[in-house]
Amino acid sequence: MADSEQADAADGAEAVAAPKGKLKLMIAVAGVFVILGGGAATWFLFFRGGHSSEVKQAEVAAAKPPVFMDVPEMLVNMTGAPGERVQYLKVKVVLELKEDKQVEAIKPTLPRVTDLFQTYLRELRPIDLNGSAGLFRLKEELTRRVNLAVAPNAVTAVLFKEIVVQ
């Protein structure tokens, strides 16, 4: 009977050991899945995105350079307080366009653009042009006005070649 009790105890130990072995196996399999999932996520987030940025760089390289169109030089007297000396503003600007064909479309409206620029510039006071903030506001306002004049075409920016306040 002692032999049967020892055999039953050995079977019980194996029965108890079997669930612990299954638990370790399940933890190992789960660990493998976590590692594989982390590797897949890393590849998807970091390495897969690198290919799309190369494509974006190729598209940027293939983009056409902007086209520039000169506007005739303007010399206007600026508004001042009564009794002050008259100050003049001399401006040379260039229009930045996206395509070459826009130049031909804008040329017929150039007198309107020049008129809009001159009427706006005559209303400026010398204090309006102080500092880089004043020039930035002038640039933005001229861009807005030229886009209204040449619609449906669009000017990307108005660039200053020369500005003299005297």
Side-chain angles (χ1 to χ4, degrees):
M1 196 133 94
D3 287 332
S4 67
E5 287 178 9
Q6 288 178 352
D8 287 339
D11 288 338
E14 287 178 16
V16 173
K20 285 185 179 179
K22 286 184 181 180
L23 182 63
K24 287 182 182 179
L25 180 64
M26 289 173 45
I27 290 174
V29 169
V32 168
F33 280 124
V34 168
I35 291 172
L36 289 175
T42 302
W43 175 82
F44 185 76
L45 292 175
F46 295 109
F47 298 112
R48 184 172 175 261
H51 298 296
S52 64
S53 66
E54 291 174 8
V55 171
K56 288 179 185 175
Q57 289 175 353
E59 290 175 1
V60 170
K64 294 179 184 178
V67 178
F68 299 102
M69 179 179 172
D70 286 329
V71 176
E73 178 180 309
M74 289 174 258
L75 178 65
V76 297
N77 56 334
M78 298 175 68
T79 303
E84 287 185 355
R85 70 178 180 93
V86 177
Q87 289 189 311
Y88 294 96
L89 174 67
K90 180 180 175 183
V91 179
K92 287 184 187 178
V93 296
V94 175
L95 305 178
E96 181 180 343
L97 309 169
K98 290 182 181 179
E99 297 176 344
D100 200 20
K101 62 184 176 183
Q102 286 181 320
V103 172
E104 295 304 319
I106 290 177
K107 276 186 182 179
T109 62
L110 204 54
R112 181 178 296 134
V113 170
T114 305
D115 178 60
L116 286 172
F117 281 4
Q118 284 192 358
T119 54
Y120 176 70
L121 293 174
R122 285 183 190 278
E123 291 299 319
L124 290 177
R125 297 169 299 191
I127 198 164
D128 294 334
L129 299 176
N130 283 348
S132 61
L135 290 178
F136 181 77
R137 284 191 302 270
L138 176 63
K139 184 181 200 177
E140 291 298 312
E141 183 62 27
L142 292 178
T143 303
R144 187 185 72 77
R145 287 175 183 261
V146 74
N147 278 325
L148 290 174
V150 300
N153 294 309
V155 173
T156 308
V158 173
L159 307 174
F160 294 122
K161 283 176 109 176
E162 181 180 349
I163 296 179
V164 177
V165 177
Q166 189 176 26

